[in-house]
Amino acid sequence: MNRPAPYSSDEPARAEVDAMAGDTVLEFGANWCGICQAAQPAIGEALAAHAARSALRHLKIEDGRGRPLGRSFGIKLWPTLVMLKDGREVARVVRPGGAGEIAQALSRLAP
């Protein structure tokens, strides 16, 4: 079984995120977070199914106190997935319960 990619401590600036063209999922969490780890199979399943139909950028961002990108999106709980279309938020899933919940949010990215 493949191990999920870790959350990156390198985060883009909010202006850079707002200028991103196309479909993007920002996933906020922490590598030590048990809830984030438990959600990875559902997140991976939903993202893979969506990416098979259309291009999708997925950024895993390490969040926490003093992290500006997470604060700019008002992130309070992990994991939180923010779906963006051309830099604008179209959906959000907080602590997903399964792949279906994520897939429903991803459907908001469809043309």
Side-chain angles (χ1 to χ4, degrees):
M1 180 176 206
N2 289 343
R3 199 157 192 230
Y7 290 94
S8 174
S9 60
D10 294 329
E11 64 181 26
R14 177 63 190 255
E16 186 180 342
V17 170
D18 291 344
M20 288 180 175
D23 296 343
T24 303
V25 174
L26 299 178
E27 179 185 340
F28 292 95
N31 293 316
W32 53 264
C33 171
I35 297 169
C36 299
Q37 293 168 8
Q40 290 308 301
I43 293 169
E45 179 184 334
L47 292 177
H50 185 83
R53 295 187 305 271
S54 66
L56 182 66
R57 179 186 302 112
H58 176 214
L59 301 176
K60 290 183 74 167
I61 307 295
E62 183 178 42
D63 191 42
R65 177 172 281 150
R67 303 291 301 189
L69 189 60
R71 302 300 64 76
S72 75
F73 278 98
I75 303 302
K76 303 262 189 225
L77 298 172
W78 303 326
T80 294
L81 290 89
V82 179
M83 287 62 172
L84 306 170
K85 183 156 199 76
D86 296 327
R88 297 184 65 214
E89 183 174 341
V90 297
R92 178 182 292 226
V93 178
V94 179
R95 290 194 172 168
E101 183 180 2
I102 301 164
Q104 183 176 6
L106 287 168
S107 71
R108 302 280 312 268
L109 295 173

